[in-house]
Amino acid sequence: MSSASFSCILLAGGRSSRMGQDKALLRFGSVSLLEHMQTKLSDLGCQDILISRNQPGFISDIIPEQGPLSGLHACLAHCQFNKVLVVPVDMPALTATTLLPLLNVEASAAYYRDCALPCVLTNSSELQADINQQLAVDNGRRSVFALLQRLNATALPCHHEAQLINTNTPQQWSQLCQIQDQTQEWKHESQ
């Protein structure tokens, strides 16, 4: 586990238009995908989990319809710690093996090469100002990848690419569930 305390922003406020239903509420085993990811982050040692989700009881976007940057914008002010792990709700295969290297890097921002999420950011007035600026202008660069580029984030190599698969469509969700079931059967048989 990482020795430093950190906050986590779980991005669960997307429209899920390609999935055709709310991804956060998809069943993953006996729980929703949202519950699965919350448990995963708690098990990682995060005691400050903020959920960006435009529903009652969660942190809603202040500036709506602007993607994940808007979720970050709304959540950063609530983070207890400077180090912030940002995780999308639709990556249920993530494990500590993949998340801990991001948390343990010394850079002010880090991500895996060719995959903007998950990432680690250092919460600062400069970060918040950058996000505010991008959200305030019509032609703002609002992707997380563009944010990481502006921050000169460290791009780490990833040795566990299968954990970085996100599920945006019913086909991707079905494939992931099949892989997970096969893995669980294999583990069960080998015990």
Side-chain angles (χ1 to χ4, degrees), residues 21-154:
Q21 59 181 310
D22 190 340
K23 287 188 280 191
L25 301 181
L26 291 171
R27 302 306 290 173
F28 195 75
S30 62
V31 297
S32 71
L33 192 50
L34 180 60
E35 292 166 324
H36 171 77
M37 294 304 289
Q38 284 179 276
T39 299
K40 195 168 281 241
L41 296 171
S42 292
D43 291 348
L44 187 64
C46 185
Q47 298 172 9
D48 183 37
I49 301 171
L50 301 119
I51 301 172
S52 168
R53 183 163 169 74
N54 297 313
Q55 299 288 329
F58 301 101
I59 299 175
S60 294
D61 295 350
I62 298 164
I63 303 170
E65 304 296 323
Q66 299 301 316
L69 217 58
S70 194
L72 290 176
H73 172 259
C75 289
L76 284 171
H78 300 282
C79 291
Q80 292 178 15
F81 304 104
N82 286 338
K83 184 172 277 197
V84 180
L85 174 66
V86 183
V87 177
V89 76
D90 61 359
M91 282 189 178
L94 284 173
T95 68
T97 303
T98 298
L99 295 173
L100 285 174
L102 289 173
L103 286 167
N104 290 324
V105 76
E106 293 297 321
S108 62
Y111 66 104
Y112 285 110
R113 196 170 297 126
D114 301 322
C115 192
L117 292 171
C119 68
V120 169
L121 304 171
T122 300
N123 193 1
S124 64
S125 56
E126 292 82 14
L127 172 65
Q128 292 179 30
D130 179 274
I131 292 172
N132 285 336
Q133 180 181 2
Q134 297 307 314
L135 293 173
V137 296
D138 288 338
N139 61 346
R141 296 183 61 218
R142 297 188 179 109
S143 73
V144 174
F145 186 69
L147 172 67
L148 292 166
Q149 288 180 315
R150 290 190 302 274
L151 297 173
N152 294 315
T154 299

